[in-house]
Amino acid sequence: MRAYDLLRMFGREGSPTPLGQAFAEYGRIAKTEHLLRAVDPVDDTHRRQMNRQLMNRQLTVQESRHKLARDVCHGERGT
């Protein structure tokens, strides 16, 4: 099935069809569950896991910046 045909099934003249509305509501369920687990005052394992993933992602970005700086500095002979 082509993406164009799929999008036509989900919307008609700028408004969603009942099937499109159902998919939108289904997506909201996952978002709501995520938010409820993130703000749960009793069990903070989900929040800790999110923080750990964020820190790993930030380290990867910083490492990439440092590698770029080393490559630029080497290419300009240390200046």
Side-chain angles (χ1 to χ4, degrees):
M1 174 176 268
R2 297 181 309 181
Y4 174 77
D5 295 331
L6 188 62
L7 289 175
R8 273 193 11 216
M9 285 177 19
F10 291 149
R12 183 178 335 117
E13 298 175 5
S15 62
T17 62
L19 179 63
Q21 185 66 31
F23 272 104
E25 295 297 328
Y26 183 74
R28 288 187 186 107
I29 293 171
K31 290 179 188 178
T32 303
E33 286 179 344
H34 167 72
L35 288 173
L36 288 173
R37 282 187 283 146
V39 299
D40 186 5
V42 177
D43 184 17
D44 65 344
T45 48
H46 184 69
R47 191 176 17 224
R48 287 177 188 241
Q49 184 181 15
M50 287 187 332
N51 286 338
R52 196 173 323 124
Q53 289 173 351
L54 179 64
M55 292 301 292
N56 288 339
R57 200 171 313 134
Q58 287 176 344
L59 284 176
T60 303
V61 170
Q62 288 174 352
E63 291 167 354
S64 298
R65 288 181 184 156
H66 290 304
K67 182 182 179 313
L68 176 63
R70 282 193 303 272
D71 292 345
V72 169
C73 185
H74 177 73
E76 294 292 324
R77 298 179 192 270
T79 58

